[in-house]
Amino acid sequence: MTMPLRCDQSALWPQLAAHYASHGQHLDMRQAFAQDAQRFAAFSQSAPHVFADLSKNLWDRDTEALLLDLARDCGLVQHRDAMFAGEAINITENRAVLHTLLRRPAGVALPGDVPETAQRLADVHHTLDAMLQYAEQVRSDAAITDVVNIGIGGSDLGPKMVVRALSSYQRAGLRMHFVSNLDSAHLAPLLDTLDPRSTLFIVASKTFTTQETMLNACTARQWLCAAAGEQAARAL
């Protein structure tokens, strides 16, 4: 798999730039809706449990066509297909990018799947089922009062977003905390407010080699061991 072409290196980039200069920068949203009665329908996308209204973005059908042509010229379609086929498109780690399987229902096959896909999907759902079982144990354990997520980047922002979105379903009395900063001023004051007997730490990482995350995880482990002995932090 070759590297995708950078969009500003495509021969179609000047066309998009010219379109913006002649039309895009002067686009008036009120006029756009008045001139195109089907604008909302044309720029709306739906999927199970998801609806996106793109009609209020500063673009029109010509802009959309140019952007799609540009994406195809840059190799987006080939890389999308390679991702779904499980090819190693993550060139920094020489590994497949399989997070799409996290959103695929169990047992569902798609065109372009390779023979390994079914087993990979089964492994994903086996792990998801185990995670759900453990999460339910945590929620039913009244002894756990605080959960601390240790991560950085997407491993911090993703869980934080989910907690906020699902806050109305949160177990009463269960407090959520997030640590992403390597600065001890971030973790140390939090530990001062927690009881090691009722605190659960979650270390979120894709590879478990991120230095900031692992250093904070080691600090948390030392805190637990200092309070209750090595057995208290056996998971790490």
Side-chain angles (χ1 to χ4, degrees):
M1 174 60 61
T2 59
M3 285 288 293
L5 181 68
R6 243 178 55 177
C7 61
D8 59 351
Q9 295 176 344
S10 166
L12 299 179
W13 182 259
Q15 296 183 31
L16 187 64
H19 173 73
Y20 171 76
S22 64
H23 181 69
Q25 64 178 331
H26 306 298
L27 182 65
D28 184 282
M29 192 62 63
R30 291 164 297 186
Q31 293 180 5
F33 274 97
Q35 294 169 0
D36 185 357
Q38 299 301 314
R39 181 177 174 85
F40 173 77
F43 289 117
S44 296
Q45 301 288 338
S46 62
H49 310 295
V50 177
F51 178 79
D53 174 15
L54 307 179
S55 65
K56 299 177 180 63
N57 287 340
L58 291 172
W59 67 339
D60 58 18
R61 301 193 194 207
D62 291 337
T63 311
E64 181 185 40
L66 285 169
L67 287 170
L68 290 173
D69 288 342
L70 180 65
R72 284 188 284 267
D73 190 57
C74 291
L76 179 64
V77 174
Q78 293 92 325
H79 275 74
R80 178 203 63 195
D81 293 344
M83 177 179 67
F84 281 114
E87 295 184 26
I89 64 171
N90 181 340
I91 60 173
T92 61
E93 300 174 358
N94 193 32
R95 62 192 295 180
V97 179
L98 300 174
H99 57 271
T100 57
L101 296 182
L102 294 171
R103 297 186 288 274
R104 190 191 298 195
V108 173
L110 296 178
D113 280 352
V114 294
E116 296 84 358
T117 300
Q119 184 57 53
R120 288 168 172 169
L121 183 61
D123 291 342
V124 164
H125 279 275
H126 176 75
T127 302
L128 290 176
D129 291 341
M131 291 172 62
L132 177 59
Q133 182 181 9
Y134 181 69
E136 289 177 340
Q137 290 177 3
V138 171
R139 284 192 287 267
S140 63
D141 187 350
I144 298 177
T145 60
D146 294 88
V147 177
V148 182
N149 183 86
I150 297 178
I152 194 170
S155 296
D156 171 65
L157 296 175
K160 191 178 295 182
M161 178 192 71
V162 170
V163 167
R164 178 173 295 183
L166 301 179
S167 59
S168 59
Y169 301 97
Q170 186 172 329
R171 193 197 81 191
L174 185 62
R175 296 181 292 269
M176 310 296 297
H177 313 276
F178 297 89
V179 174
S180 61
N181 199 322
L182 188 59
D183 191 335
S184 60
H186 194 189
L187 180 58
L190 173 62
L191 295 180
D192 288 341
T193 68
L194 300 177
D195 184 342
R197 295 169 299 181
S198 58
T199 301
L200 170 68
F201 289 93
I202 298 175
V203 182
S205 177
K206 183 177 68 174
T207 62
F208 290 93
T209 59
T210 307
Q211 293 183 358
E212 295 87 348
T213 298
M214 299 316 297
L215 182 58
N216 278 330
C218 287
T219 301
R221 186 182 190 281
Q222 292 169 0
W223 178 77
L224 286 173
C225 292
E230 185 74 20
Q231 186 65 13
R234 61 189 181 278
L236 286 175

